[in-house]
Amino acid sequence: MTTNMPFAPQALARHYYEARREVLALAGITATPWYQLSADERAIADAEGQIVQEAFRRAAEEQQAIDALPHRSATAAAEGAERPPLPVRKRPAGAAAA
């Protein structure tokens, strides 16, 4: 996985914002279109785009570290094999959730 983004950060911010706006619309929430944002709102959207870009960078770095672990075979890494889920600790009957 590459960590280089092949597009301008402003393009990422705009597409992220518009995708977010579409998802919100499906939930019945109206958001201002990108081209109608104020300078302050656009700066916030740009910052959110940078956050998404940083999240991708961290995820790629994490995946590289996981793939480098000696216990992961090449086959498991290629297939995207996951570890078995951790056991769930059950609360005693009648215990309140924390």
Side-chain angles (χ1 to χ4, degrees):
M1 171 181 258
T2 181
T3 59
N4 296 332
M5 295 291 171
F7 38 78
Q10 294 80 16
L12 173 64
R14 184 179 68 250
H15 288 289
Y16 170 75
Y17 181 85
E18 285 298 319
R20 181 178 173 272
R21 191 170 75 87
E22 291 169 9
V23 170
L24 290 173
L26 292 173
I29 300 168
T30 303
T32 305
W34 175 265
Y35 63 89
Q36 292 179 344
L37 294 178
S38 69
D40 287 343
E41 291 170 323
R42 208 169 268 199
I44 291 168
D46 284 338
E48 288 177 344
Q50 290 174 8
I51 292 167
V52 170
Q53 195 168 14
E54 177 64 12
F56 274 113
R57 186 196 65 75
R58 290 180 184 189
E61 188 177 272
E62 176 184 64
Q63 189 61 52
Q64 288 171 351
I66 290 170
D67 291 344
L69 292 175
H71 71 277
R72 278 186 62 97
S73 70
T75 303
E79 294 173 357
E82 298 179 15
R83 294 184 198 141
L86 296 173
V88 176
R89 187 174 59 182
K90 296 181 181 177
R91 287 190 301 264

